[in-house]
């Protein structure tokens, strides 16, 4: 079970939102690259970046911050001889040129959310053009998918869309329960497992992680096809210690495989 620290970018700063509300942003760092380095030193094996301004504008808005993070990640990987540390990025990605530019910069996985729901053809084209590099982000509440920075509810069922996008060739699915995101109210295990059982591609859980108990609960269902969990407010506010939690997740995974 991979614990993936989230670095949410707003106006060049590292912030966290509550339930996707841009007005409820807490600034945790003026220097996102320094924040990335901090999580790498804590043992992060992948990073999750979100261009929040981009998500609302429909085009990239924090590219400078993204590039500074990528430089730090590449330097850290070289200095510590740990191989590639994947970085995944979402927010405002609406065309193939943007994807290509970000991949050239060093992003490993591109997350397509709103555009996947509104323009399935774009997601299909992206999967064809960049196989192995496209993750779809499904943000849902009560089983229905939300779009546009969670400001609009679609009529689509999460599982129906997940099955459709799986056929397109997405690498994995980031599933966020938006009712819990940023609220540290615990992960929606049931809904996450239900989705994982419905598709063959890996699921990355997101939203609601509060303590190590949430990580342990996810580890118990890892075998259903859940490969990781994005952690945000909990590691920034200290209710979850990233290094300890990843160590515990590794222990539990080892116990399952023995």
């Amino acid at each position: 079970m991979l614990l993936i620290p989230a670095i949410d970018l707003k106006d060049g700063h590292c912030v966290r939102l509550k339930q996707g509300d841009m007005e409820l942003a807490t600034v945790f760092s003026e220097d996102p690259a320094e924040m990335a380095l901090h999580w790498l030193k804590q043992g992060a094996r992948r990073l999750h970046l979100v261009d929040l301004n981009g998500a609302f504008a429909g085009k990239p808005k924090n590219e400078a911050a993204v590039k500074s993070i990528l430089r730090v990640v590449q330097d850290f990987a070289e200095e510590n001889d740990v191989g590639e540390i994947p970085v995944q990025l979402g927010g405002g990605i609406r065309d193939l040129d943007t994807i290509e530019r970000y991949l050239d910069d060093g992003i490993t996985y591109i997350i397509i959310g709103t555009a996947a729901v509104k323009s399935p053809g774009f997601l299909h084209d992206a999967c064809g053009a960049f196989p192995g590099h496209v993750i779809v982000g499904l943000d849902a509440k009560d089983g229905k998918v939300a779009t546009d920075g969670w400001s609009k509810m679609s009529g689509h069922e999460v599982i129906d869309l997940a099955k459709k996008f799986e056929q397109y060739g997405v690498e994995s699915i980031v599933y966020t329960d938006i009712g819990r995101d940023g609220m540290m109210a615990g992960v929606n295990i049931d809904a996450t497992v239900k989705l994982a059982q419905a598709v063959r591609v890996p699921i990355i859980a997101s939203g609601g992680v509060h303590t190590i108990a949430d990580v342990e609960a996810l580890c118990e269902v890892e075998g259903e096809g859940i490969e990781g969990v994005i952690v945000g407010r909990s590691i920034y506010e200290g209710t979850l210690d990233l290094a300890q939690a990843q160590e515990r997740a590794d222990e539990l995974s080892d116990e399952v495989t023995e």
Side-chain angles (χ1 to χ4, degrees):
M1 179 67 62
L2 205 56
L3 272 69
I4 310 171
I7 298 177
D8 290 0
L9 302 167
K10 180 175 185 273
D11 306 330
H13 302 147
C14 172
V15 306
R16 293 301 294 163
L17 306 185
K18 285 190 176 179
Q19 294 183 311
D21 190 335
M22 289 286 267
E23 299 302 315
L24 298 177
T26 305
V27 176
F28 282 104
S29 174
E30 304 288 336
D31 187 345
E34 192 62 37
M35 203 77 245
L37 182 59
H38 172 73
W39 297 131
L40 293 173
K41 288 178 177 176
Q42 293 289 309
R45 297 172 198 157
R46 188 191 287 201
L47 295 177
H48 175 81
L49 312 185
V50 182
D51 180 347
L52 291 171
N53 302 102
F56 285 86
K59 58 185 177 182
K61 290 288 186 179
N62 282 283
E63 279 191 82
V66 170
K67 285 183 176 180
S68 67
I69 289 169
L70 288 171
R71 282 193 292 272
V72 163
V73 171
Q74 287 156 3
D75 289 346
F76 181 87
E78 287 174 12
E79 288 166 13
N80 293 275
D81 197 23
V82 292
E84 186 195 7
I85 299 170
V87 179
Q88 58 194 46
L89 168 70
I93 297 165
R94 303 283 191 271
D95 59 72
L96 298 180
D97 288 343
T98 300
I99 296 176
E100 186 169 25
R101 192 168 72 246
Y102 272 135
L103 293 177
D104 286 344
D105 287 341
I107 291 292
T108 314
Y109 301 111
I110 292 292
I111 302 169
I112 300 175
T114 293
V117 181
K118 291 188 162 183
S119 310
F122 165 57
L123 179 67
H124 189 273
D125 291 346
C127 289
F130 309 105
H133 292 285
V134 178
I135 294 174
V136 71
L138 293 178
D139 305 329
K141 189 174 184 179
D142 302 325
K144 302 284 188 186
V145 174
T147 62
D148 298 277
W150 306 349
S151 61
K152 297 176 185 174
M153 295 302 297
S154 75
H156 297 290
E157 295 283 344
V158 172
I159 287 177
D160 292 344
L161 277 185
K163 287 180 174 177
K164 178 179 175 181
F165 296 156
E166 177 182 37
Q167 292 173 348
Y168 290 179
V170 296
E171 180 67 16
S172 55
I173 296 169
V174 172
Y175 172 65
T176 305
D177 183 320
I178 64 176
R180 301 190 185 213
D181 188 78
M183 304 304 287
M184 301 200 295
V187 180
N188 190 335
I189 298 280
D190 291 345
T192 306
V193 167
K194 194 174 172 187
L195 178 59
Q197 289 173 336
V199 294
R200 291 181 301 280
V201 294
I203 301 297
I204 298 171
S206 173
V209 171
H210 184 211
T211 66
I212 200 159
D214 296 312
V215 175
E216 290 171 340
L218 272 171
C219 286
E220 286 180 19
V221 294
E222 185 178 2
E224 300 293 347
I226 302 165
E227 74 169 2
V229 57
I230 294 165
V231 286
R233 188 171 286 271
S234 59
I235 57 172
Y236 286 95
E237 296 194 348
T239 61
L240 183 74
D241 181 292
L242 179 66
Q244 283 181 359
Q246 185 62 70
E247 195 175 313
R248 178 67 179 137
D250 291 345
E251 282 173 13
L252 292 171
S253 291
D254 289 343
E255 287 171 16
V256 171
T257 55
E258 281 175 5

